[in-house]
Amino acid sequence: MRWPRWIPIDPYVALMLATVAIATVLPARGAAAPVAAVVTKLAVGLLFFLYGARISAAQARDGAGHWRLHLAVLLTTFVLFPVLGMLATPLSPAVLTTDLHQGLLFLCAVPSTVQSAIALTSIARGNVPAAIFSASFSSAAGIVLTAVLVLILMRGTDGVRITAGSVLDIALQLLLPFVAGQLLRPWIGAWIERQKRLLTTVDRGSILLVVYTAVSAGVVAGLWRRVSAAQVLALLAVEVVLLAAVLAAVAAGTRALGFNREDRIAAVFCGSTKSAAVGVPMATVLFSTATAGVFVLPLILYHQLQLIVGATLARRLGPPL
């Protein structure tokens, strides 16, 4: 069944909103909570295994050559975003609650998306091989850099628990399956490349699972007693400004650096997006159960915003940025 054209919202965004609603009404609690957590970890592990199996040596070589593009994406993801997050500090607590501002800082520390950034770059006729390498490298680097940034940006925050063990746990969940996929690519890579529907299903399904488990934990811990509808709207307004600022900065910066059109498109979509598939599992490791739900709320909201804006921009992108 095809999604009706007259419905203005993207079907994936609708599914994510529905997942938040289901987690609010029917959260995983009691004996169901650890089962949901295990299933989610397995789904995320499968996702990163498929990412690893999908990227060929030729794609990696083609993409790796655009080092200026990758540096621009890394600086945007792990420098520009955190700086903008810190500049929002005066908004707390008048506009953003302390918890929501801390969640905004966590959002700013999370790496780029992989699947969405690649898909948007492809739709906009950008440099897809470079986007594959750049987004994948950002995710891999984020296993360490996100934890370091959280330690710097959120120092002194209640509920943050960064240890060598938590970083190792993140590496086992995300990096190990990716490496396993790369090692097995000679035998399964060709088959994986033909299963685009499978990769999309696992990608989106795993994100919906991590959103459900994170929001469930937050609801059980009293998430909606700590955050009102007005505060969510204020957060959305701040994130609209954040996304607009990043898009403008990347577009202007890459043009000033002399990037061609295809590289500018890849930089825009790899640099402006944030990964819920990486960020939410990391949040469940880095933060206590009581705080993880509210801390990932800005990331969940931003993820939907970037899909709406990114899809619109990619479809309408005709002239050079």
Side-chain angles (χ1 to χ4, degrees), residues 11-279:
Y12 182 44
V13 175
L15 283 173
M16 189 171 288
L17 292 173
T19 300
V20 173
I22 292 170
T24 299
V25 177
L26 297 171
R29 63 171 81 234
V35 174
V38 170
V39 172
T40 300
K41 287 184 178 181
L42 291 174
V44 171
L46 175 60
L47 172 65
F48 276 81
F49 174 81
L50 294 174
Y51 281 158
R54 182 185 181 189
I55 299 174
S56 68
Q59 287 176 324
R61 285 194 302 269
D62 291 343
H66 297 260
W67 65 268
R68 292 200 307 156
L69 167 61
H70 308 318
L71 182 60
V73 171
L74 287 175
L75 289 175
T76 301
T77 303
F78 298 115
V79 178
L80 177 60
F81 262 103
V83 168
L84 293 175
M86 291 300 294
L87 289 177
T89 301
L91 298 177
S92 176
V95 177
L96 298 177
T97 67
T98 301
D99 285 343
L100 289 181
H101 180 247
Q102 294 301 311
L104 185 70
L105 292 176
F106 175 66
L107 153 70
C108 290
V110 169
S112 304
T113 62
V114 177
Q115 188 75 0
S116 297
I118 294 168
L120 294 172
T121 300
S122 177
I123 292 170
R125 304 186 303 279
N127 189 335
V128 175
I132 292 172
F133 182 91
S134 192
S136 301
F137 185 73
S138 174
S139 291
I143 291 172
V144 174
L145 292 179
T146 297
V148 171
L149 285 172
V150 167
L151 191 61
I152 295 171
L153 298 174
M154 303 176 68
R155 60 185 181 277
T157 302
D158 292 338
V160 178
R161 52 183 189 191
I162 300 179
T163 64
S166 61
V167 175
L168 178 61
D169 192 10
I170 292 169
L172 290 175
Q173 286 188 47
L174 306 180
L175 186 58
L176 185 61
F178 183 87
V179 172
Q182 279 280 286
L183 293 175
L184 292 175
R185 177 177 168 76
W187 295 276
I188 65 173
W191 181 83
I192 292 295
E193 289 179 354
R194 295 194 298 269
Q195 308 303 315
K196 293 183 179 180
R197 186 180 294 253
L198 171 64
L199 189 59
T200 300
T201 300
V202 174
D203 176 58
R204 297 189 170 190
S206 63
I207 293 174
L208 294 176
L209 278 172
V210 294
V211 167
Y212 174 77
T213 54
V215 174
S216 290
V219 169
V220 173
L223 169 63
W224 299 121
R225 292 195 298 271
R226 300 166 65 179
V227 181
S228 68
Q231 290 166 344
V232 172
L233 290 175
L235 172 63
L236 177 60
V238 171
E239 292 190 340
V240 168
V241 174
L242 174 66
L243 177 57
V246 171
L247 287 171
V250 175
T254 52
R255 179 184 288 115
L257 291 171
F259 283 27
N260 62 33
R261 179 180 182 275
E262 290 74 19
D263 284 355
R264 292 202 304 273
I265 289 172
V268 162
F269 290 121
C270 292
S272 65
T273 54
K274 290 290 185 175
S275 176
V278 177

